[in-house]
Amino acid sequence: MRGKVARLEAVAEVMRALEAHGVRSLIIGGIASAVYGGKSVTKDLDLQLQIERPDMERLQDALSSVQAKVIAVPTELRWEYLERGFWVHFECEHPSLHGLHLDVATRPFGAAPFDEMWSRRLSRTLPETGTQAHFVALPDLVSLKKTRRKDDWATIQLLMDLDYHGGGDAVQREQVRFWLRELRSAQTLIECVARFGGEAIKLTAERPLLGLAIQADHTGVADALDEEERLARRADEARMRPLLDELQRMRHTARRSQ
């Protein structure tokens, strides 16, 4: 991991609490980015949970064991919020957790079905804790990072460049196709296309800017990448708008009640 992230022992304690109550979770967000080499400065632990309505009591018990209190809207943990894609934000008040911020969701935008993501997970024992944690796979993390926020796109570019340059010479076809679909640096993408021209040609219909990369058109590729990002950010804004509007109404209601 690089950068400043939440204390590993605090993360481990939350992982143990969830496991003890039978709640499966995947670490996503900044801490997952740090595992893949990102420059994370987050102190938040972002988790995607596998939970259904009948399991809510087990989740509540797990959160109670780490003294997790809701700190933002939505102001309570309800199945209806999780089902619709809301994040619920907590601060863990247990003395050993030093105020760890914990954000949970079950259906974040960009997520594949949980069982699929679980099958691709990266499992690691957290150093000095002996606790196993499960991190979202890089392709799933990239999908989750395709948001309206520009910083997320910068993170995608960094992680994809690191993955490509650390990939070595003997790589699987699916890995090559992942790079060709997701690399966001014009220079790196052109290098990748030069190495794997046959696969690039096959994917051109899916990602037309690969045609410009085949021609080594640096300016054209850079402009096309910018446009690709712009359209994706606008699409995420449209998807999120109903939830953002509802959150604003919740904040207004909470202020009036105070």
Side-chain angles (χ1 to χ4, degrees):
M1 294 186 184
R2 302 165 62 187
K4 188 175 183 180
V5 298
R7 292 176 59 252
L8 290 179
E9 180 51 46
V11 172
E13 190 161 340
V14 172
M15 296 295 98
R16 290 193 293 265
L18 291 169
E19 183 177 1
H21 290 85
V23 178
R24 287 204 299 184
S25 63
L26 287 168
I27 298 176
I28 61 179
I31 294 178
S33 296
V35 167
Y36 292 107
K39 298 177 180 179
S40 177
V41 294
T42 184
K43 289 187 177 182
D44 298 340
L45 172 59
D46 298 333
L47 295 176
Q48 182 177 348
L49 308 177
Q50 185 183 43
I51 204 83
E52 298 296 337
R53 186 189 294 272
D55 307 316
M56 287 296 291
E57 185 175 351
R58 290 192 285 110
L59 175 58
Q60 293 277 15
D61 290 344
L63 294 172
S64 295
S65 72
V66 295
Q67 298 177 25
K69 307 297 182 184
V70 178
I71 58 172
V73 294
T75 56
E76 57 182 328
L77 178 65
R78 292 169 50 185
W79 166 251
E80 291 77 10
Y81 293 141
L82 295 174
E83 184 181 35
R84 292 170 53 209
F86 282 102
W87 285 86
V88 184
H89 307 276
F90 299 86
E91 183 172 356
C92 298
E93 297 181 348
H94 193 283
S96 67
L97 298 182
H98 299 281
L100 174 73
H101 283 194
L102 172 62
D103 304 329
V104 304
T106 60
R107 292 171 172 80
F109 286 119
F114 188 93
D115 283 340
E116 291 182 18
M117 296 173 68
W118 183 261
S119 71
R120 296 188 287 263
R121 72 192 184 278
L122 174 68
S123 297
R124 291 287 185 271
T125 299
L126 298 177
E128 301 179 8
T129 70
T131 298
Q132 189 174 62
H134 306 289
F135 300 88
V136 66
L138 181 58
D140 291 315
L141 180 60
V142 167
S143 180
L144 289 164
K145 285 287 185 183
K146 291 182 177 180
T147 73
R148 65 195 183 282
R149 296 183 293 269
K150 194 166 186 65
D151 286 352
D152 282 340
W153 289 87
T155 297
I156 293 173
Q157 179 174 332
L158 172 63
L159 296 181
M160 290 303 305
D161 273 8
L162 289 171
D163 192 59
Y164 174 75
H165 291 299
D169 296 326
V171 293
Q172 299 295 319
R173 178 171 180 263
E174 194 53 42
Q175 182 71 18
V176 172
R177 293 171 71 86
F178 171 55
W179 291 335
L180 291 170
R181 288 186 175 107
E182 303 295 355
L183 280 167
R184 303 216 55 79
S185 163
Q187 179 61 42
T188 308
L189 184 57
I190 288 171
E191 290 178 13
C192 183
V193 166
R195 286 179 63 192
F196 306 106
E199 289 298 330
I201 291 171
K202 294 175 186 177
L203 290 177
T204 300
E206 178 181 330
R207 196 183 193 193
L209 63 80
L210 291 176
L212 297 170
I214 291 170
Q215 300 169 28
D217 181 352
H218 287 74
T219 300
V221 171
D223 290 345
L225 287 168
D226 286 345
E227 178 65 6
E228 190 177 68
E229 176 185 331
R230 186 186 70 81
L231 292 174
R233 290 174 63 192
R234 189 167 68 181
D236 182 66
E237 178 72 31
R239 287 194 301 268
M240 286 293 296
R241 179 48 52 194
L243 293 187
L244 294 173
D245 289 345
E246 188 167 349
L247 285 173
Q248 187 60 35
R249 290 192 293 272
M250 290 180 186
R251 294 187 186 100
H252 180 69
T253 300
R255 285 194 295 268
R256 292 186 62 182
S257 67
Q258 292 173 359

